[in-house]
Amino acid sequence: MALAREDINFENIKREADVEMLVKNMVQTNNMIAHLKDEQFEMRNEIKEHKETISKLENDIQLLKKEKRWNMLWQDSLEENINHTQIALLVVGTINILFTYFMSR
């Protein structure tokens, strides 16, 4: 009864409490939205970095494929040169043996 005499309206108190709760919820929601925006920004940066890394790796793979082709061509060329050198040494060795044989007679 003392509260009724002092003109305390429970409806007003309830409304004020509801408003405070709504304000707290809105603040928490805004904070959560800001946090999620920060995370989204970080994720975008990470995705960008991953894309750059993938691009660099793809370029490296292309260079390695070109280098592998070059190395294969170089190896084929070396094998041909070795074969030609072996044939030339065989011919020179045969001529040397024949020359030595005829010189010793």
Side-chain angles (χ1 to χ4, degrees), residues 59-82:
N59 290 339
D60 288 347
I61 288 170
Q62 288 177 353
L63 289 174
L64 288 171
K65 285 181 180 178
K66 287 179 184 177
E67 185 177 330
K68 180 180 177 184
R69 281 189 221 122
W70 173 255
N71 285 340
M72 288 175 67
L73 290 172
W74 180 253
Q75 183 178 2
D76 290 343
S77 175
L78 284 176
E79 287 175 2
E80 285 180 26
N81 288 341
I82 289 171

Side-chain angles (χ1 to χ4, degrees), residues 46-62:
E46 287 179 16
I47 289 170
K48 183 179 177 183
E49 289 174 7
H50 289 306
K51 285 182 179 179
E52 289 174 358
T53 302
I54 289 170
S55 176
K56 288 178 184 178
L57 289 173
E58 286 173 345
N59 290 339
D60 288 347
I61 288 170
Q62 288 177 353

Side-chain angles (χ1 to χ4, degrees), residues 6-21:
E6 295 179 13
D7 291 332
I8 295 178
N9 188 348
F10 288 108
E11 289 297 318
N12 287 340
I13 293 173
K14 184 179 176 188
R15 282 189 205 128
E16 287 177 11
D18 288 345
V19 169
E20 282 184 35
M21 190 179 346

